[in-house]
């Protein structure tokens, strides 16, 4: 037989914050009350530790990279069944980023890396800003690993040294994708990628795709679909934030609704806005023949793509959490028949 006697429940009575020196008094006062420690709340250890971590994070977010806890005092009053908690905090000086240093072996242009990381120099310290620069480096697509380490002390100028350690992805990659559809038969896709083509994190991708193989009889390809072409990405243009994306594909489609033979090419510029948004725009050209039942009149289209992408995932290359969304609108001019139309496409992944 086990009898449990809980005893009285202790609660938080008061909490207090103080600075370890007059120089840090304003920064500590600006923190306000520690989160999660309201008077009357249960006197538990976990909220005390969580509040302490939140206080240090708040000081770092406010530009104090060397913030630390100088002392923590927890007093339990058994007669009052209450607990008092007080912290003595050492905010340390507000600091700005020094010019970042680059470590690790990489074949990517040092000038390109400096354009991306150099924007940190002179900015007020911020963990979010540091992580944003790490993601910008990773989004170049040339690095398998991007680590960032802030120094534990300021330099002689009072700035915080930061080091980015980089490791390149494999220069070459290839893959094959095979599928089978019960109504259309087998299909396949092959691709080849060459990364960091000219040393500026460029990506060249060539791919070919074939489908509806099962709809064609022996020795004939009349009902097969083909798509072959490639794309080229050149990140880090201008101030290191703009990416050029060029694509060109030859397409042959034999569908239930129409037949189409076409050449499609586009030339887009992409640029991030803030931490999660990317805007893209540029021309797209398409020419070929389209129709059905053997009638395939020629067509030529000229359009201009304007789009937005949103990405708040936790990793550019290996996302486990977050959301990605795209929205693009393209007005077209039909150069063959002097007409026009618009197309809008959207997608959402989480």
């Amino acid at each position: 037989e086990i009898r449990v006697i809980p005893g009285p429940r202790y609660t938080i009575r008061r909490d207090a914050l103080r600075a370890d020196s007059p120089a840090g008094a304003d920064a500590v006062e600006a923190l306000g009350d520690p989160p999660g420690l309201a008077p009357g709340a249960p006197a538990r250890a976990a909220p005390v530790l969580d509040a302490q971590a939140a206080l240090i994070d708040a000081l770092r977010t406010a530009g104090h990279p060397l913030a630390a806890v100088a002392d923590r005092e927890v007093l339990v009053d058994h007669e009052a069944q209450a607990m008092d908690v007080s912290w003595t905090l050492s905010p340390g000086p507000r600091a700005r980023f020094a010019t970042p240093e680059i470590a690790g072996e990489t074949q990517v242009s040092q000038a390109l890396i400096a354009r991306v990381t150099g924007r940190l120099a002179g900015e007020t310290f911020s963990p979010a800003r540091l992580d944003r620069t790490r993601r910008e480096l990773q989004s170049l697509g040339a690095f398998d690993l991007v680590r960032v380490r802030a120094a534990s002390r300021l330099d002689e100028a009072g700035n915080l040294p930061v080091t980015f350690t980089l490791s390149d992805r494999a220069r070459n990659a290839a893959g094959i994708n095979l599928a089978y559809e019960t109504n259309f038969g087998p299909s396949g896709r092959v691709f080849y990628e060459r990364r960091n083509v000219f040393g500026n994190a460029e990506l060249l991708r060539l791919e070919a795709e074939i489908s509806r193989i099962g709809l064609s009889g022996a020795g004939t390809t009349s009902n097969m679909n083909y798509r072959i072409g490639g794309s080229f990405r050149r990140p880090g243009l201008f101030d290191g934030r703009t990416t050029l994306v060029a694509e060109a594909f030859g397409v042959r489609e034999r569908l239930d609704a129409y037949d189409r033979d076409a050449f499609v090419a586009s030339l887009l510029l992409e640029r991030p806005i803030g931490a999660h948004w990317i805007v893209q725009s540029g021309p797209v050209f398409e020419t070929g023949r389209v129709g059905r039942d053997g009638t395939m009149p020629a067509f030529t289209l000229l359009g201009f793509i304007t789009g937005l992408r949103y990405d708040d995932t936790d990793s550019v290359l290996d996302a486990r959490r977050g959301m990605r969304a795209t929205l693009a609108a393209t007005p077209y001019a039909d150069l063959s028949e002097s007409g026009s139309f618009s197309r809008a496409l959207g997608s959402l992944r989480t």
Side-chain angles (χ1 to χ4, degrees), residues 97-135:
F97 288 111
T99 300
E101 298 182 359
I102 306 301
E105 296 184 2
T106 176
Q107 298 182 17
V108 178
S109 165
Q110 293 293 318
L112 172 60
I113 298 173
R115 280 200 298 271
V116 176
T117 61
R119 291 190 293 269
L120 270 182
E123 291 194 14
T124 301
F125 171 81
S126 166
R129 184 66 182 88
L130 196 61
D131 184 66
R132 178 178 166 186
T133 301
R134 183 190 62 80
R135 289 177 61 91

Side-chain angles (χ1 to χ4, degrees), residues 21 38 57 71 125 141-142 149 155 165 179 183 185 238 257 262 278 343 350:
S21 66
D57 287 343
D71 186 35
F125 171 81
R149 180 180 60 84
D155 61 15
T165 302
N183 51 344
F238 310 125
I278 295 177
R343 181 178 68 175
T350 187

Side-chain angles (χ1 to χ4, degrees), residues 160-174:
L160 181 70
V162 174
T163 301
F164 288 91
T165 302
L166 308 176
S167 175
D168 288 352
R169 300 178 74 187
R171 293 291 295 274
N172 299 287

Side-chain angles (χ1 to χ4, degrees), residues 13-165:
R13 183 168 55 185
R14 65 175 68 92
D15 54 68
L17 300 177
R18 65 178 68 91
D20 66 339
S21 66
D26 291 341
V28 172
E29 184 178 355
L31 293 175
D33 295 329
L37 291 183
R44 298 173 55 238
V48 173
L49 298 177
D50 291 343
Q52 178 173 305
L55 290 170
I56 298 302
D57 287 343
L59 285 172
R60 289 172 56 84
T61 301
H64 299 268
L66 307 181
V69 175
D71 186 35
R72 180 186 68 213
E73 184 179 78
V74 178
L75 176 64
V76 177
D77 186 340
H78 293 284
E79 291 186 1
Q81 298 172 1
M83 184 171 74
D84 300 331
V85 186
S86 63
W87 284 276
T88 301
L89 302 178
S90 175
R94 284 176 60 98
R96 298 181 181 274
F97 288 111
T99 300
E101 298 182 359
I102 306 301
E105 296 184 2
T106 176
Q107 298 182 17
V108 178
S109 165
Q110 293 293 318
L112 172 60
I113 298 173
R115 280 200 298 271
V116 176
T117 61
R119 291 190 293 269
L120 270 182
E123 291 194 14
T124 301
F125 171 81
S126 166
R129 184 66 182 88
L130 196 61
D131 184 66
R132 178 178 166 186
T133 301
R134 183 190 62 80
R135 289 177 61 91
E136 287 178 359
L137 283 172
Q138 198 172 46
S139 66
L140 293 178
F143 303 117
D144 183 56
L145 176 67
V146 179
R147 288 179 177 169
V148 58
R149 180 180 60 84
S152 58
R153 63 183 64 184
L154 305 182
D155 61 15
E156 295 180 355
N159 297 323
L160 181 70
V162 174
T163 301
F164 288 91
T165 302

Side-chain angles (χ1 to χ4, degrees), residues 145-228:
L145 176 67
V146 179
R147 288 179 177 169
V148 58
R149 180 180 60 84
S152 58
R153 63 183 64 184
L154 305 182
D155 61 15
E156 295 180 355
N159 297 323
L160 181 70
V162 174
T163 301
F164 288 91
T165 302
L166 308 176
S167 175
D168 288 352
R169 300 178 74 187
R171 293 291 295 274
N172 299 287
I176 182 170
N177 184 26
L178 301 176
Y180 182 84
E181 300 174 88
T182 56
N183 51 344
F184 297 132
S187 63
R189 179 173 61 92
V190 295
F191 73 88
Y192 166 76
E193 286 186 354
R194 174 69 173 177
R195 299 160 181 159
N196 198 29
V197 181
F198 304 115
N200 290 290
E202 302 93 347
L203 173 64
L204 174 66
R205 181 184 175 97
L206 305 176
E207 58 183 277
E209 183 176 354
I210 183 173
S211 61
R212 295 201 172 199
I213 299 175
L215 293 184
S216 300
T220 178
T221 60
S222 59
N223 293 317
M224 292 185 187
N225 291 339
Y226 303 95
R227 182 174 180 269
I228 185 170

Side-chain angles (χ1 to χ4, degrees), residues 5 35 39 41-43 46 65 68 74 81 114 171 177 193 211-212 244 248 260 265 280 284 304 318 329 339 345:
I5 304 175
V74 178
Q81 298 172 1
R171 293 291 295 274
N177 184 26
E193 286 186 354
S211 61
R212 295 201 172 199
L244 172 71
R260 172 173 169 252
Q280 63 175 191
V284 57
F304 193 85
D318 187 19
L345 296 175

